Amino acid sequence: MKPILVVDWRADCIAALADLLLAPDGPGTSGGADLRRCLVVFPHRRPARHLMHHLATRADVPKPLFLPEMTAVDQWLPALARELDPAPLRTAGLLDRVGLLREAVAALPRPGPLRALAAAPERFFPWGRHLAGLMEELLRHGAGPQDMHHLQGEVHDTAAALLERLRAIHDGYLRALEARGWTTPGLDAARVARRADELPALLAGRRILLVGFHAPTGTEMAVLRALAAAGTAQVVWHSDPALAQAPGRVHWACREHARWLRDWGARAELLGPPAPDTRETPPTVRFHEGFDLHSQLDALRGVLDDMAGPPAQATQNGRKQDTPKPGAHGDTAVILPDSGALMPVLHHLPVKDVNISMGYPLARSSLLRLVETVLRLQETSPGPGRYAWREVVALIRHPYVKMLEPRPGLPLRGLLREMEQAIRRGGTVFAPLAWAPDPATLPEGTLPPEADPQEALALLHETLTACLTAFEGLGSLEALGRALLGLARALVPEGGEQTWHRFPVDAECLYRLTAVVVPALTDSHVSRDPAGRATLFSILRQMLAAERVPFEAEPLTGLQVLGMLESRLLRFARVCVLDATEEHLPGPPAHDPLLPDPLRGLLGLPDARQRAQVAAHNFHRLVAGAREVHLFYHTGVSGSGPLGGRSVRSRFVEQLLWEEEKRQGRVIRGNDGGPLETLALPVRPLPRPTPGVAKTAPILARLDTLLATRVLSPTLLDDYLACPLRFFHKRLTPLREPDTVSEDGDQRELGILIHAVLKDFLAPLRQQRVNLAEQDPAPLMDAFSARLEAAPFFIQMPYDLRLGLRAVGRERLRRFLASSPETTIVLLEQPVEAPLAVDGLGVRLGGVLDRVDQRPEGAVVLDYKTGSLAPPPLKAWSNDALWERVEAWEPGQDPGLLADLEAALHSLQLPLYAWLHWCETDTLPADAAWVELRADGGEKPLFGPKAEAETRETAITELTPLAVRLLVRHMRGAERFEAAPGPHCQWCRFGFSCPLPAKAGTSR
């Protein structure tokens, strides 16, 4: 057996491999000028591209050059299987394998609890997917399946039943594959491993290099050993040179290589000149400890800017701007253990010349959100053609749908905008394909001037058909695949390909859907089997969640962005590892409900310990080969709930920090001048803005018009008292709350309905002494139920909320009658008005009195309240200091007066009703009260029996009009409409126009 060649992991493995290939006595021929007889096998695909680039750019390599054949082991083993057995075999996809496993489970003698599982496809698929993965692992590792008994209570009952019959399922699965002439990648590897002794003869005449393997699978190891023992292949490692120089001092992350040497009885030989001890000249390592991902990204940007050196200055739009030097990051790599961080990283990189070599989860893409919306539309649909309004809005607001131009120059954005407005003005269910607006009513700008509205509407319906109708009534995976293909074609209409060129990531996701997912759905042997919607959508979701979108890492220039596995065999002078926390490096064991990690060793499969060893080798090899290493991690909270916790730096990072502490002989702390930088969150005082709108001449003119022509209601005055800025938006601008379907009920409409019901019920009882508590509540409750069930807002509410509102409303009306005192009803829903002079300006105040009763003590003004209320304390009317400020206020003075008045009175509505009643009837009411319908229906008086007659009279006849005068004077005299943040901000309809940083729950 040839010695195993070891490339020092501080050296460039690709360059050393090129030297080996081009050496006169190397595996090439003709002095290294013709490498066609050479075969280089890597553990993954990326090193081949780097070797090709190295040979192409190396000056001492004669050109043209016949390159060696380069392949990854997962491509090489199936090719060997075909050479060993030329009989054509079809590679079974995931759905094929799951289908065969289901048949194997159903064919088990005495299947017991597995019978029901095999009979229900929607239940079997999630387990079948894990079972198929387990079968592949067993084949790839050459591990014989064995039944695992007595696992009840340790794993899920279904998993225990499957593992108990694992051998029989495995045998039945292999027989089914053979009977159909199918194969799988794992089966190919197993077939090659069984015939490994035939490989030297098969590959005779080839010069084979097996490069970079660290922890091969069982089948790979059998093939490597057979070829190495026969002298057909040369094994090359990129590892600790101590394997060849001092085996007793091998780095712990290379123990797998040391074990490999012992098992083979081989020796290691250093490729290239002897290298110094890697422990004597370690790379420069810097640690950056942040508090979240954004802090890491900010520090990463600073590090990359420093690596690039002083930026060059460019002029743009007459201004000088700093730009990184071109090519400054050519030998720099950003390593992402978590692929989900790719998009945030790309947005934060200071350079756009980026080369990406990693897979991106399709589950994080905009395409998946669109597909998920389409599926939810079907799942929430009450019937064909009718869909939940929120899901329709989500569909037509999706960026892919909004940017569509089914015909060049004919965008759909305008029509989609009008459709959304129609949806929000309607009910909870909407029929998109039935929407046909009159072209004459479409606002200007909805469509291009030259567009035909009828054609545009027809194209819109075609698009919606692909998103909606095509997914109705699906009965098989094949039909689902065709529907997805139709959706993809609708997203890329004829002539619309250029649009997707601007969004390469999205385009790659769409390609992955059509080239991988759709064929898997339509071309499996279970594609035509009948299946329900729940089964189909569950299978699709799981397939999409498992898909990853590869990036075309071409050309090999600029900053390299890679995953940890993609960095194997590659060397970079400067390395930045992002999110180097324990949860990502090495990361927790993958969740497998079928075979949890502690059970994997029983079947001879690698467990978390072995995977951590592989991660350690990849990490330390990458660090050893760099001159400068930056490790970023965060120690903030990584999750919420009982399973959430604080992130900690990776054990590998911890080891490097510990070694640095041993080297320096001290404990390293953050920002102490050592290698550890703590990324602190700058704490600055929060700004206290006071948003407002200056009262310009046009605004003042509009305000004067309102005061001169409108009857000022208590609600209008309360709006200004609570928040002048809200008053401005509501009363002086055309701003309106966006139309939306009220699924939880309309409180305003409910209040109007209750007022009308009470008026009709109490009208026959006017002008007579009556004890309302003795009245039969049934007619009142029945009238409420009848009106409620006919109300449009009630029909739109979900069934459970309708039941609750009906029951609660009836009960509260019953309590209202039971809590009402003996009284004489004088007025019901009575409009009242009265003039008031304010600095020479005559304004009119008015409102509607819900009810006026005659009680023994006098007239009482009642106001029904279906919402919450906060009566003012009695002492508010005797606060002489406050009322002196109200009377003395002048523009520009006492800026806190309005807030103090609102805090004291809360509302002017009921006092103003009492004043209007006094003006209208010349009779001073004995009191006023709120009827709290949302509680027990009892009365909460404005003054109460403890108030003296003089206090009540002064409050109604003097202080209430004084407060109104202040509000009108403040409207006209204050320089700005200032915001008044408070609890009301959380339900303010104009919060979108208020720039306050925190509006809800604050106080003034």
Short mmCIF file of all heavy atoms in Angstrom, two decimals, residues 9 215 217 219 300 580 596:
data_model
loop_
_atom_site.label_atom_id
_atom_site.label_comp_id
_atom_site.label_asym_id
_atom_site.label_seq_id
_atom_site.Cartn_x
_atom_site.Cartn_y
_atom_site.Cartn_z
N TRP A 9 -1.96 21.26 6.88
CA TRP A 9 -3.21 22.02 6.81
C TRP A 9 -2.99 23.52 6.91
O TRP A 9 -3.93 24.29 6.80
CB TRP A 9 -4.21 21.52 7.83
CG TRP A 9 -3.80 21.59 9.29
CD1 TRP A 9 -2.66 22.05 9.83
CD2 TRP A 9 -4.61 21.15 10.39
NE1 TRP A 9 -2.68 21.93 11.19
CE2 TRP A 9 -3.87 21.39 11.57
CE3 TRP A 9 -5.85 20.57 10.50
CZ2 TRP A 9 -4.35 21.06 12.83
CZ3 TRP A 9 -6.33 20.24 11.76
CH2 TRP A 9 -5.60 20.50 12.91
N ALA A 215 -13.85 11.59 7.17
CA ALA A 215 -14.69 10.58 7.85
C ALA A 215 -15.62 9.98 6.80
O ALA A 215 -16.82 10.26 6.81
CB ALA A 215 -15.47 11.21 9.00
N THR A 217 -18.03 7.41 4.65
CA THR A 217 -19.03 6.43 5.05
C THR A 217 -18.43 5.02 4.92
O THR A 217 -17.33 4.83 4.38
CB THR A 217 -20.27 6.54 4.16
OG1 THR A 217 -19.91 6.19 2.81
CG2 THR A 217 -20.84 7.95 4.19
N THR A 219 -19.31 2.51 3.00
CA THR A 219 -19.11 2.08 1.62
C THR A 219 -17.95 2.83 0.99
O THR A 219 -17.15 2.25 0.24
CB THR A 219 -20.39 2.31 0.81
OG1 THR A 219 -20.80 3.69 0.95
CG2 THR A 219 -21.52 1.41 1.30
N LEU A 300 -18.58 42.73 11.40
CA LEU A 300 -18.03 42.10 10.20
C LEU A 300 -17.75 43.15 9.13
O LEU A 300 -16.70 43.12 8.47
CB LEU A 300 -19.00 41.05 9.67
CG LEU A 300 -18.66 40.44 8.32
CD1 LEU A 300 -17.38 39.62 8.41
CD2 LEU A 300 -19.81 39.55 7.81
N ALA A 580 -20.60 31.90 15.32
CA ALA A 580 -19.87 30.72 15.80
C ALA A 580 -20.33 30.37 17.21
O ALA A 580 -19.56 30.42 18.17
CB ALA A 580 -18.36 30.98 15.76
N PRO A 596 -33.81 8.66 17.26
CA PRO A 596 -33.10 9.72 17.98
C PRO A 596 -31.60 9.44 18.04
O PRO A 596 -31.15 8.30 17.91
CB PRO A 596 -33.74 9.69 19.37
CG PRO A 596 -35.08 9.05 19.16
CD PRO A 596 -34.88 8.06 18.05
#
